[in-house]
Amino acid sequence: MRILIITQWFQPEPHFKGLGFAKALQAMGHEVEVLTGFPNYPGGRVYPGYRIRLRQHEIIDDIPITRGYLYPSHDNSALRRIANYASFAISSTLLALFIRKPDVVYVYTPPMTAALPAIALRFLRGVPFVPDVQDLWPDTLAATGMLNDPRLLGLIRWWTDFSLRRASRIIVLSEGFRRRLQERGVKTPITVIWNWAPSEIADIAHRLQPVLPDKTGPFDILFAGNMGKAQGLDIVLKAAAALQEEGAHVRFTMVGGGIEREVLRQHAKDLSLNNIAFHEPRPPSQMGELFEAADALLVHLRDDPLFEITIPSKTQAYLAIGRPILMGVRGDAAAMVEEAGAGLTFAPDDVDAFLAAIKTLLAMTQAERMAMGSAGAAYYRKRLAFDIGVRALEQSLAGAANKA
């Protein structure tokens, strides 16, 4: 097959379904091309070695890439974020019409941007497309507070449903997403394909010893990833304050960026918390030392109905690493951790429940915590690994291409 991948983000930006996925499809004998934007995620600043222009062609690891114009922005401004999405949607649509006709298009979210060139190819050149839905728009925009105007949210919902109904097949990351789309009247065949961990995380997992650190220092709880409104990480500061007052030997390590990072860091300083440390964002390949030192890994999202049907991408990464997970998300994500026997779940936004989960882990023996981590790693290898997901995605793309 000749496969065109349309995604607003691609390497050198962090993107777990990016270059590695493209190369895996190529290794299966397919011809793969990528249509994307100029790298600026997550900071909203164009990466060194690039400058914004109307179009640029390059090749990375034998994968041909066409980059289209976009307005770089990933801050808290709704207008600038809209400009970011809209500029890529327009430029990628124009460029898509001049790319050699593919057999099928794989569309990575956000749907408001990447779907427009795919729909243009569908109507003008008869090319089927398969969207991979990682965020349910407009639900995600409302849940994260990015957009609250009911008229705009209604327009986005109409466009999203319009796009999905014209897809040949749809990929979603959870059973909850499938149910929600079916409730919205989307009749397109929907397949659940769980995400895998970034390849750099899988490499670290292979190198890590399947044991927890034997140390005399504090019990280290690691959070790695975006610190935005959706993550609701003020719960960490509340827990840190309570544990510090009790004299508990617990430390929180917070790694990553996001619009709430500096707010959280300043608040921790104002509270004189000495049991929490903030680290600058770092690529997954440089996380090994922090994962190795961690006693537990934290996932948390605000208590919103939307998050009950999502599975945060760090879940798979944490499972692969093989450390006990503290899962503060209801629904599908909690069910995955419980099924794997990989950690403890607690009610989101409930600091008392969070503290109880921490203390339960502390009361366990090292062997019990090690068994949790090992169970998570085994579950990942059996159910979620890269090769498993790529094969499933290839089958969906082939099914769409053959049906066209």
Side-chain angles (χ1 to χ4, degrees), residues 188-269:
T188 309
I190 303 173
T191 302
V192 178
I193 301 177
W194 287 326
N195 289 335
W196 55 79
S199 58
E200 300 92 336
I201 296 295
D203 291 342
I204 291 171
H206 286 311
R207 296 196 303 268
L208 282 182
Q209 295 295 320
V211 295
L212 293 172
D214 186 9
K215 60 187 182 183
T216 57
F219 187 86
D220 188 72
I221 300 173
L222 172 65
F223 175 90
N226 184 53
M227 303 181 200
K229 294 184 182 299
Q231 284 70 37
L233 294 175
D234 54 317
I235 192 174
V236 175
L237 303 190
K238 294 174 184 177
L243 291 166
Q244 181 169 294
E245 186 175 347
E246 295 173 7
H249 208 39
V250 175
R251 176 183 62 199
F252 294 93
T253 299
M254 311 289 286
V255 183
I259 60 175
E260 293 292 300
R261 181 184 185 277
E262 286 306 308
V263 174
L264 292 165
R265 190 187 64 79
Q266 185 59 50
H267 193 194
K269 184 178 180 182

Side-chain angles (χ1 to χ4, degrees), residues 5-67:
I5 297 175
I6 302 180
T7 171
Q8 187 163 336
W9 308 291
F10 197 77
Q11 272 68 25
E13 293 165 301
H15 183 20
F16 76 100
K17 286 186 176 177
L19 184 60
F21 175 50
K23 287 182 65 62
L25 291 173
Q26 188 182 65
M28 292 175 169
H30 305 299
E31 187 179 351
V32 181
E33 186 171 356
V34 176
L35 176 58
T36 187
F38 287 88
N40 71 106
Y41 178 83
R45 294 182 295 275
V46 179
Y47 282 34
Y50 293 89
R51 65 181 179 87
I52 299 295
R53 59 183 74 182
L54 293 178
R55 180 179 63 180
Q56 176 177 311
H57 295 290
E58 65 177 306
I59 295 176
I60 301 179
D61 284 358
D62 296 325
I63 301 295
I65 299 166
T66 299
R67 297 188 185 274

Side-chain angles (χ1 to χ4, degrees), residues 122-143:
R122 175 68 182 265
F123 283 134
L124 298 178
R125 303 178 72 182
V127 180
F129 70 93
V130 179
D132 189 333
V133 179
Q134 298 286 311
D135 292 301
L136 279 182
W137 282 28
D139 311 55
T140 299
L141 300 178

Side-chain angles (χ1 to χ4, degrees), residues 145-156:
M146 186 184 299
L147 190 62
N148 297 306
D149 187 317
R151 290 170 299 181
L152 278 176
L153 290 171
L155 178 62
I156 292 170

